[in-house]
Amino acid sequence: MTIAIYAQLAVLALIDSTSIGTLLIPLWLLLRPDARRVAPRILLYLGVLAGFYLLIGIAVLGGAGWVLSGLGADSLTHLPAVQWGMVLAGGAMLAYSLFAGSGKKPAKVVAGAPGADVAEVTATEQKWQSRLAAALRSPGGMVTLALLAGLLELPTMLPYLAAIGLLANATLALPVEITILTLYCLLMLLPALALLVLRVALGARLDPLLLRISSKMGKFAGETLLWVVGIVGFLLLRAGLSAVAPLAPWNPFK
């Protein structure tokens, strides 16, 4: 592996560090008045989430590639059921990305103590705040929260899948690949860990900054999710239609 590949992996890890699970949820947890007291449970959440990502990466590297090579990836894409599945799934994802949230205005309420910066809280964030409050009641709740966040992010793990692709093409030994994936997951959590350390050290003095970051991240994460879903849907739809009707006059991808 070259320095350029390591640099690409680092960039992909930092992109992954800005997702809902790796940054936005930790930000909401850090904005709680009792953030210092629940810091160990925030660390538990981050650790379980990193472990979930690592297990997914190991499964793809060690198992999925072997399964696909054994079954024959090319033969799978030639099956009509698989082709139509790609068309339907891609069309649904593309339609969702284009029309989700259209015509709706998010409910807004003011968050923050008097004298603090004002942040807009959407109805979606209010639901998440309820989930966070329930999860913080026990370590098991935090484990469940981390697994839920990981599962919700599975369809949008494009940077992580790209990193796994780089590792697979590097033809390294599996233990080395797992070590690099572990470092990737740690780097992915670095921004959240840095904010946690600052929150514990500075207390409520960091809240105005966290509120501003949370407000911007909430809007950014929602828009990014729709873009990722739309791009993946477009690629699936194009591949499916090209296989189902490659020469049809109505096929825009022929």
Side-chain angles (χ1 to χ4, degrees):
M1 289 202 21
T2 64
I3 295 178
I5 294 178
Y6 284 118
Q8 291 177 59
L9 290 173
V11 170
L12 290 170
L14 292 176
I15 293 174
D16 262 331
S17 73
T18 62
S19 72
I20 294 176
T22 55
L23 188 57
L24 191 54
I25 290 177
L27 275 171
W28 289 336
L29 291 169
L30 292 175
L31 281 168
R32 294 177 56 87
D34 58 349
R36 282 179 169 174
R37 183 179 63 83
V38 300
R41 293 191 177 177
I42 298 175
L43 283 174
L44 174 62
Y45 165 84
L46 292 173
V48 173
L49 183 63
F52 179 85
Y53 264 80
L54 182 59
L55 288 176
I56 292 296
I58 293 173
V60 173
L61 281 173
W66 177 82
V67 170
L68 287 177
S69 62
L71 294 176
D74 291 337
S75 62
L76 286 176
T77 57
H78 286 135
L79 294 175
V82 174
Q83 295 169 355
W84 280 108
M86 294 168 65
V87 171
L88 294 175
M93 293 173 69
L94 185 58
Y96 175 81
S97 68
L98 292 174
F99 301 110
S102 61
K104 295 181 180 179
K105 293 183 179 179
K108 298 176 183 179
V109 297
V110 173
D117 286 11
V118 174
E120 294 179 349
V121 181
T122 65
T124 301
E125 182 175 340
Q126 287 179 293
K127 292 179 181 178
W128 270 106
Q129 293 290 0
S130 300
R131 292 173 184 160
L132 299 183
L136 282 168
R137 294 172 188 165
S138 67
M142 296 305 292
V143 172
T144 302
L145 177 66
L147 295 177
L148 174 62
L151 287 172
L152 290 175
E153 291 188 350
L154 275 177
T156 60
M157 284 184 177
L158 295 184
Y160 193 46
L161 292 177
I164 293 172
L166 288 174
L167 286 177
N169 291 331
T171 62
L172 299 172
L174 184 59
V176 178
E177 292 177 334
I178 294 175
T179 301
I180 295 174
L181 275 184
T182 302
L183 294 175
Y184 181 101
C185 292
L186 291 175
L187 181 58
M188 180 182 70
L189 297 182
L190 188 59
L193 290 172
L195 289 174
L196 175 59
V197 171
L198 290 174
R199 181 66 169 83
V200 171
L202 300 177
R205 287 174 289 175
L206 193 66
D207 284 358
L209 174 62
L210 293 179
L211 281 168
R212 286 196 294 270
I213 297 175
S214 175
S215 178
K216 292 179 180 179
M217 277 299 305
K219 298 174 183 177
F220 173 77
E223 294 173 358
T224 302
L225 177 61
L226 290 178
W227 272 103
V228 171
V229 170
I231 291 171
V232 174
F234 172 81
L235 294 175
L236 280 175
L237 181 62
R238 183 180 67 175
L241 286 178
S242 298
V244 169
L247 300 177
W250 49 266
N251 184 0
F253 306 116
K254 66 174 185 285

